[in-house]
């Protein structure tokens, strides 16, 4: 069982084997099955993602370098 397989199960892309679901419910008895499969609810996330910060654009870097060079020359 790989993390990718589990992700495909819970995203609805692959069918969840009954023995996996039984094992998962034994390990996580507080899981709400209705929330797990209800498409109208927000996805269940085990831990929040860290915010993604957009990488600096190349032009911004070039502008910073030019400003430094103009200041130093």
């Amino acid at each position: 069982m790989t993390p990718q397989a589990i992700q495909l199960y819970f995203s609805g892309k692959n069918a969840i084997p009954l023995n996996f679901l039984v094992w998962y419910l034994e390990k996580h008895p507080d899981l709400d099955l209705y929330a797990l499969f209800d498409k109208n609810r927000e996805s269940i996330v085990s831990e929040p993602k860290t915010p993604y910060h957009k990488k600096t654009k190349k032009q911004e870097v070039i502008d910073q370098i030019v400003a430094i060079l103009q200041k130093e020359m």
Side-chain angles (χ1 to χ4, degrees):
M1 185 67 53
T2 65
Q4 292 83 8
I6 296 169
Q7 181 181 9
L8 291 173
Y9 293 157
F10 290 120
S11 69
K13 298 197 188 298
N14 285 357
I16 300 175
L18 186 56
N19 60 351
F20 171 78
L21 189 56
V22 169
W23 170 83
Y24 197 81
L25 288 171
E26 288 174 354
K27 295 292 182 185
H28 305 281
D30 55 333
L31 180 68
D32 179 8
L33 280 178
Y34 185 77
L36 183 64
F37 296 107
D38 185 10
K39 298 288 183 191
N40 296 324
R41 292 190 184 189
E42 188 176 326
S43 296
I44 298 172
V45 179
S46 61
E47 51 188 54
K49 289 185 178 180
T50 56
Y52 175 76
H53 300 288
K54 188 173 97 176
K55 294 180 180 177
T56 307
K57 294 179 182 175
K58 292 178 184 178
Q59 188 59 48
E60 292 173 1
V61 172
I62 293 170
D63 292 343
Q64 290 175 1
I65 292 170
V66 169
I68 291 169
L69 291 174
Q70 288 176 346
K71 182 179 175 183
E72 294 298 323
M73 295 181 134

